[in-house]
Amino acid sequence: MVKFFLKTLSFFFVLIISITIYLSYFGLKTDRFDSLIKNKANELNTYVKLSFRETKIYINPIKLNLIVKLQNPKVLIGSGEIILSKLDFFLPIGSFFSSDFILRRAEVAFKKNDIKDLTKISKIFLPNILNKQLKKIFKKGSLEGEFTIPFNEDGSIGEGYGFSGKILDAQINITNEIYIKNLTTDIKHIKSSNEDIFNLIVKNGTLLDIDLLDSEINIKRQNDIFKIES
């Protein structure tokens, strides 16, 4: 009896480990979250729609997260669209077994686009006031990269959201008087409750007629006070 119990226990243990490994690497197709994701996007902005072929879920057993990956995701804005290379949602594992759609984080990646498309993508997740700030900062150029957007338990945007990627031949208005022209750079941006931090590794560009070639710039804005180091 004891041997039978141990064999049964071992079988279920191996089965659970096998399923976890499979879901960690290969995922599982499901429509469990499709309507919830589309409804959530519509709640945040009625003029922006999400389109995707299907969803696959993966498990992160270390962080106890479900990762919901949208296949062939697109952002539809009016008659136009933006092709995304990645749109992933991170949820507690318990979300699969309940009706709660508790977002912990979203990751949005896209290939080379007009820099103004950044605000089209961020419309889905960010409040209008933050989106308007982005429009003022990014004036022209090309952009590719990834957003990381954390969420609070109440569904609001959390602290520490950011962007990392590349900007090509762009103009960025730090303020009305301070702006960078002809900028080609790797960029990382982190936003918290009271400050913005930008890190730029510049391949080309000028700031107040200063050549920025092969330089690194760190910009911190806190309470409308800018600190620039290079």
Side-chain angles (χ1 to χ4, degrees):
M1 184 68 180
V2 174
K3 288 184 179 180
F4 175 77
F5 176 77
L6 290 176
K7 287 182 178 179
T8 303
L9 186 64
S10 299
F11 171 78
F12 280 109
F13 180 76
V14 171
L15 180 63
I16 291 171
I17 294 296
S18 300
I19 291 173
T20 301
I21 292 173
Y22 182 87
L23 291 177
S24 298
Y25 287 95
F26 301 104
L28 176 69
K29 291 182 182 180
T30 178
D31 59 1
R32 174 73 173 82
F33 299 102
D34 289 14
S35 60
L36 289 171
I37 291 169
K38 291 177 180 178
N39 291 338
K40 183 68 173 177
N42 290 340
E43 286 176 9
L44 293 167
N45 194 300
T46 57
Y47 299 102
V48 178
K49 307 293 183 183
L50 279 179
S51 172
F52 49 90
R53 190 183 73 224
E54 61 187 11
T55 57
K56 292 185 73 173
I57 59 170
Y58 296 77
I59 287 180
N60 184 329
I62 297 175
K63 296 186 177 180
L64 298 178
N65 278 343
L66 282 179
I67 307 170
V68 181
K69 295 179 177 285
L70 306 192
Q71 308 299 302
N72 302 117
K74 299 178 184 179
V75 179
L76 306 178
I77 307 125
S79 59
E81 66 179 28
I82 299 172
I83 307 297
L84 304 178
S85 55
K86 180 175 78 170
L87 182 48
D88 296 348
F89 296 98
F90 294 76
L91 318 170
I93 285 180
S95 295
F96 188 80
F97 304 100
S98 71
S99 59
D100 294 329
F101 187 72
I102 304 173
L103 272 177
R104 287 180 173 171
R105 189 170 83 253
E107 294 181 357
V108 187
F110 50 95
K111 298 179 180 179
K112 187 176 178 181
N113 282 281
D114 189 293
I115 199 168
K116 293 180 181 179
D117 287 342
L118 177 145
T119 56
K120 295 177 183 178
I121 296 169
S122 60
K123 271 184 181 180
I124 304 173
F125 302 102
L126 303 185
N128 285 334
I129 187 170
L130 295 177
N131 219 50
K132 288 179 180 178
Q133 290 178 2
L134 289 176
K135 285 184 179 180
K136 292 179 181 179
I137 292 172
F138 298 102
K139 298 301 292 184
K140 67 176 184 177
S142 299
L143 176 72
E144 60 183 44
E146 179 174 322
F147 285 102
T148 300
I149 306 166
F151 290 88
N152 297 317
E153 290 185 0
D154 62 0
S156 60
I157 304 297
E159 293 187 7
Y161 73 79
F163 168 80
S164 60
K166 295 182 179 180
I167 292 176
L168 306 171
D169 196 24
Q171 178 175 325
I172 295 180
N173 293 351
I174 301 169
T175 68
N176 290 333
E177 294 78 26
I178 303 174
Y179 53 89
I180 302 174
K181 298 186 297 183
N182 302 321
L183 178 65
T184 296
T185 181
D186 295 331
I187 183 171
K188 184 175 182 180
H189 169 234
I190 298 175
K191 168 73 176 178
S192 64
S193 59
N194 62 349
E195 66 180 13
D196 283 286
I197 300 173
F198 294 86
N199 174 259
L200 296 88
I201 299 176
V202 182
K203 312 299 182 184
N204 188 40
T206 56
L207 170 64
L208 300 176
D209 296 326
I210 300 172
D211 190 354
L212 302 177
L213 179 65
D214 294 330
S215 60
E216 181 175 352
I217 301 173
N218 294 291
I219 303 169
K220 179 184 288 187
R221 185 179 71 172
Q222 187 172 27
N223 299 324
D224 292 326
I225 297 174
F226 285 85
K227 181 178 180 181
I228 302 175
E229 297 178 349
S230 67

